Amino acid sequence: MTTWMYRVLDNKVMLQKILKRHLSRRPQSGFTLIEVLVSMVIAGFIISGLMFLVVDLLRTDQRELTLEQTQQDMKRALDYISDDLREAVYVYSTPTALVTNLAATGSALPADARPVLAFWKVKTLNDDSGDYTKLSTPGVANSRCQGLSGDPLANCNALLIRHGYYELVIYYSTDDNTGNLWEGEARIKRYSLPEYSRAALTEAGTALNRHDVFDATEPSPDFGAWVPNSAGTETANTDALVDFVANLAGGNAPNCNAIAGADYIQVPTAAAAATQPSNSFYVCVRPRDIANNTELYQDVIVYLQGNADPGDNSLTVRGVSDRTELPTLQTQVAVRGVINKNLDN
């Protein structure tokens, strides 16, 4: 090997020794405690921000789902009321007197009830899904109302001719929550009082008599003048229709003349609305004057508004406003009753 090559090798070995000595003296690298704490604080801020966004998204999703469910419930309730109302033969434009008369019987409405929609409908015998052999046996000669006389015989003949009987239906709103069974601010209930019980129509050995509340007068043909028997003790059926109706003590009193026209009457009346203003559940009714043979065709506009917030802060469904409100639903129903109607009107 040449001299210059030896020199290169010596320089290389010397350089390696110098680097090795320098590296062995260099302190080990790492993070100081302050650096670790600062990193943890920054990471905490980032994670907190992300968690806030996640929680806010979950809360928003819950609110939207609750609002959507409540609106669907209001729509189903409105559809149910509309279907029921289409079968009506008479709708009360001022049910105050009717409710007052019912209060004297065993079929009184609850004291806190706010009657909104009251009407008569025909309930067909098939609705009871019962055995009506006590009225007449199909295919058997001379089996019509056998063994009956007096009022039961007259009732039986009327039932077979109509194939149905009358039922009084009242939809009312209430904010009573006895027993804490409900979560919403208010709810709608359906009151029904049929002429006959199912037992009277189907059970052998049970007299074919109408409920004693109907012993005073026949509802037809002048339904508006019907007065229940004050000595009647029969209890009406009451079922809850929908919860989460908007607050009955809030909002502005509706004005049917302004929103529907001068031919309509609002229920609850303006006087009642003044003491309990509410735009959550009310109706505008075109009155029917059977006695004077005018305004025989009725139609009803029903308004319903829900509120998904129960009002006790137990469920976070609030939106951009202080009180989450849903839009007011509206439907107009033409009453199909044909009693006392003719081709001229």
Side-chain angles (χ1 to χ4, degrees):
M1 297 177 62
T2 60
T3 305
W4 68 269
M5 293 180 66
Y6 282 109
R7 290 180 179 178
V8 171
L9 291 176
D10 290 341
N11 292 336
K12 183 179 179 180
V13 172
M14 186 179 297
L15 181 61
Q16 289 178 345
K17 290 181 178 180
I18 294 173
L19 290 174
K20 184 176 181 180
R21 190 182 302 115
H22 177 74
L23 292 175
S24 63
R25 293 179 180 178
R26 185 179 179 180
Q28 294 182 353
S29 60
F31 295 104
T32 64
L33 180 60
I34 295 178
E35 290 174 333
V36 172
L37 292 176
V38 171
S39 300
M40 292 177 62
V41 171
I42 295 175
F45 279 118
I46 296 175
I47 295 175
S48 298
L50 294 175
M51 289 298 296
F52 175 81
L53 291 176
V54 172
V55 172
D56 189 62
L57 288 174
L58 292 175
R59 183 183 294 113
T60 301
D61 184 62
Q62 179 192 24
R63 178 176 63 87
E64 294 302 323
L65 287 176
T66 305
L67 291 173
E68 181 181 1
Q69 182 63 49
T70 303
Q71 191 73 343
Q72 289 178 355
D73 290 344
M74 295 302 113
K75 184 178 184 304
R76 281 193 290 266
L78 194 64
D79 290 341
Y80 187 93
I81 295 174
S82 300
D83 292 341
D84 210 12
L85 189 57
R86 287 187 182 94
E87 301 178 15
V89 295
Y90 177 83
V91 182
Y92 287 89
S93 57
T94 53
T96 306
L98 170 68
V99 174
T100 301
N101 291 330
L102 287 172
T105 72
S107 299
L109 273 72
D112 63 296
R114 294 175 172 88
V116 175
L117 183 60
F119 57 89
W120 289 94
K121 61 179 290 188
V122 175
K123 188 174 179 67
T124 62
L125 294 178
N126 291 335
D127 288 345
D128 290 302
S129 299
D131 180 11
Y132 302 105
T133 55
K134 66 183 299 183
L135 302 182
S136 66
T137 303
V140 179
N142 301 322
S143 66
R144 183 185 180 102
C145 305
Q146 291 295 307
L148 300 179
S149 61
D151 289 340
L153 177 60
N155 294 340
C156 180
N157 287 326
L159 283 168
L160 290 176
I161 293 173
R162 298 173 183 166
H163 201 67
Y165 51 96
Y166 293 113
E167 180 182 37
L168 175 64
V169 176
I170 302 176
Y171 285 95
Y172 67 90
S173 55
T174 175
D175 53 12
D176 177 58
N177 195 11
T178 304
N180 296 320
L181 299 176
W182 308 100
E183 297 181 359
E185 292 180 327
R187 57 217 53 90
I188 297 175
K189 293 188 176 182
R190 183 182 187 272
Y191 167 106
S192 61
L193 182 63
E195 277 190 283
Y196 295 89
S197 67
R198 188 175 184 278
L201 295 171
T202 62
E203 294 182 7
T206 304
L208 187 62
N209 292 326
R210 299 187 300 173
H211 281 150
D212 54 15
V213 179
F214 290 88
D215 288 344
T217 57
E218 175 79 17
S220 176
D222 191 1
F223 295 93
W226 179 77
V227 178
N229 178 18
S230 59
T233 59
E234 299 291 346
T235 303
N237 304 315
T238 302
D239 301 300
L241 179 64
V242 66
D243 193 16
F244 285 102
V245 176
N247 190 355
L248 300 180
N252 299 317
N255 186 341
C256 284
N257 289 339
I259 61 180
D263 295 335
Y264 292 85
I265 297 177
Q266 72 183 50
V267 184
T269 62
T275 59
Q276 49 185 28
S278 175
N279 55 7
S280 61
F281 180 44
Y282 65 99
V283 297
C284 299
V285 182
R286 188 194 300 271
R288 180 181 178 190
D289 189 351
I290 297 179
N292 296 322
N293 204 36
T294 60
E295 292 290 352
L296 295 183
Y297 292 91
Q298 286 187 288
D299 63 282
V300 183
I301 306 175
V302 186
Y303 299 87
L304 178 59
Q305 183 186 41
N307 183 11
D309 186 359
D312 58 2
N313 296 322
S314 63
L315 183 62
T316 306
V317 293
R318 297 183 181 277
V320 295
S321 61
D322 292 336
R323 179 170 174 266
T324 299
E325 291 186 352
L326 295 173
T328 300
L329 299 178
Q330 170 186 341
T331 187
Q332 187 168 4
V333 181
V335 177
R336 298 176 179 175
V338 296
I339 294 179
N340 275 15
K341 293 181 179 179
N342 55 54
L343 295 178
D344 295 331
N345 49 34

